[in-house]
Amino acid sequence: NYKKNVSLYEKSLLRLSTGLCITSASDDPSGLAIADKLRTQANSIKQGIQNANNGIAFIQIADKAMSEQSRILDLVKVKLIQAKSDTTSTQGKDAIKKDIHKLLVQLDNIASQTNYNGITLLQKDVNDITLGSQISFQVGESSQDTVSTRDNIQSNTTGLGIEALKNINTLDSLSAGVWMSKIDDALSSLNVFRSDFGSTQNQLESSVRFMSSKYTNLKKSESVIRDVDYVHEFSTLNKLRILMIAGMYALAQANNVHENMLKLLFK
């Protein structure tokens, strides 16, 4: 009994020092299997939360870039309105044409330079102005748990239908009026891109809230199975300590019996 209690006492100390009530598979085979599965599920969801937060940062970069593009188009519209007026001289219209060219060049620069971790966001690639590819974010523990952006983002002068304005030869009242309407269409297309990114961000934020709650509950469930109950374990430790002391006393008494027998035999 003394040896048995010493073994149990050592296991109790191990549980208290590690904080785990299951320190080996032999302690609770079925509980260990369940706890390991819950831990894997929780870790997968934790990475999904990180992916979703990365996706939110990804989308915010794109949105801020398109916000600046929208401001550029607003300025171009204002300058076209100025050029549409007959009170603007020919020299003034030439100056406006140069301003519009520089503004639209900057719009294209924004489209080519906006990236996240080397992934171009507003067109196919840095040097490829064609339609951008769909971006998917893994936000859950299964392969189906994904959130994706649209696959036809092309937020440059070509995609917005105003490339010819960037290199227009002559800007007069008539052409300025035509391009005013096309700038409105470009702004509408840009707003469609931004709204799609915005709805994707809302979806990702919702996923983060849901997964954060799920992660907390999974870790709590794992803790119930795997982690030690310190109050109960300290009580068990004290009980085993008393039993060990009693066992040592019993061994001492047993030795005394043997000594007394020997004394009687050789008296």
Side-chain angles (χ1 to χ4, degrees):
N1 284 331
Y2 174 75
K3 290 180 179 180
K4 176 184 177 182
N5 289 331
V6 167
S7 177
L8 293 174
Y9 184 83
E10 290 175 349
K11 286 186 177 181
S12 182
L13 281 176
L14 180 61
R15 294 189 184 102
L16 290 171
S17 63
T18 60
L20 303 174
C21 65
I22 304 176
T23 58
S24 65
S26 61
D27 292 336
D28 185 356
S30 60
L32 179 65
I34 295 171
D36 282 350
K37 185 174 181 180
L38 290 172
R39 180 180 60 188
T40 300
Q41 188 177 5
N43 289 338
S44 299
I45 290 175
K46 183 179 180 180
Q47 184 58 54
I49 293 172
Q50 181 64 49
N51 290 349
N53 284 325
N54 291 341
I56 291 171
F58 178 101
I59 288 173
Q60 287 175 337
I61 291 172
D63 182 66
K64 294 303 181 183
M66 288 188 288
S67 175
E68 181 59 25
Q69 288 182 322
S70 179
R71 192 186 72 84
I72 288 173
L73 292 178
D74 287 342
L75 289 174
V76 171
K77 176 73 178 292
V78 169
K79 291 185 178 298
L80 288 172
I81 292 173
Q82 183 182 3
K84 179 73 167 58
S85 177
D86 288 336
T87 57
T88 304
S89 65
T90 303
Q91 293 80 6
K93 291 176 182 178
D94 286 340
I96 290 172
K97 181 184 69 173
K98 293 177 182 178
D99 285 344
I100 290 175
H101 171 77
K102 291 181 178 179
L103 286 170
L104 294 182
V105 166
Q106 178 57 22
L107 186 144
D108 282 339
N109 288 339
I110 292 172
S112 63
Q113 295 170 10
T114 302
N115 71 89
Y116 179 91
N117 195 26
I119 302 171
T120 305
L121 310 184
L122 304 183
Q123 60 185 35
K124 182 70 174 178
D125 204 345
V126 176
N127 300 314
D128 189 344
I129 64 172
T130 58
L131 293 172
S133 302
Q134 185 181 62
I135 303 297
S136 295
F137 310 101
Q138 180 66 38
V139 297
E141 55 187 309
S142 70
S143 59
Q144 289 77 31
D145 297 331
T146 60
V147 174
S148 302
T149 63
R150 60 187 298 164
D151 59 354
N152 59 346
I153 299 293
Q154 191 180 10
S155 187
N156 49 41
T157 53
T158 301
L160 297 174
I162 53 175
E163 184 181 18
L165 177 60
K166 183 171 67 174
N167 299 311
I168 190 171
N169 292 323
T170 303
L171 183 64
D172 53 25
S173 298
L174 181 61
S175 61
V178 173
W179 282 110
M180 284 168 55
S181 177
K182 292 184 178 181
I183 290 296
D184 288 337
D185 293 338
L187 281 167
S188 297
S189 298
L190 186 61
N191 288 333
V192 170
F193 295 153
R194 293 189 68 188
S195 64
D196 180 76
F197 274 118
S199 61
T200 303
Q201 180 175 337
N202 289 336
Q203 191 176 1
L204 288 170
E205 290 174 348
S206 176
S207 296
V208 169
R209 290 191 294 270
F210 165 70
M211 289 189 295
S212 296
S213 175
K214 188 175 181 180
Y215 174 78
T216 300
N217 291 327
L218 285 170
K219 293 301 292 182
K220 182 178 179 180
S221 298
E222 181 195 359
S223 177
V224 169
I225 299 172
R226 192 189 299 275
D227 294 342
V228 69
D229 182 346
Y230 275 95
V231 174
H232 175 267
E233 201 60 44
F234 270 116
S235 175
T236 300
L237 187 74
N238 288 329
K239 174 185 175 182
L240 291 170
R241 183 183 292 114
I242 293 171
L243 289 174
M244 286 170 57
I245 294 171
M248 293 176 64
Y249 176 78
L251 286 173
Q253 293 304 310
N255 289 333
N256 287 336
V257 169
H258 295 156
E259 290 177 1
N260 290 334
M261 289 177 63
L262 291 172
K263 288 179 181 179
L264 290 172
L265 288 171
F266 295 98
K267 186 176 180 182

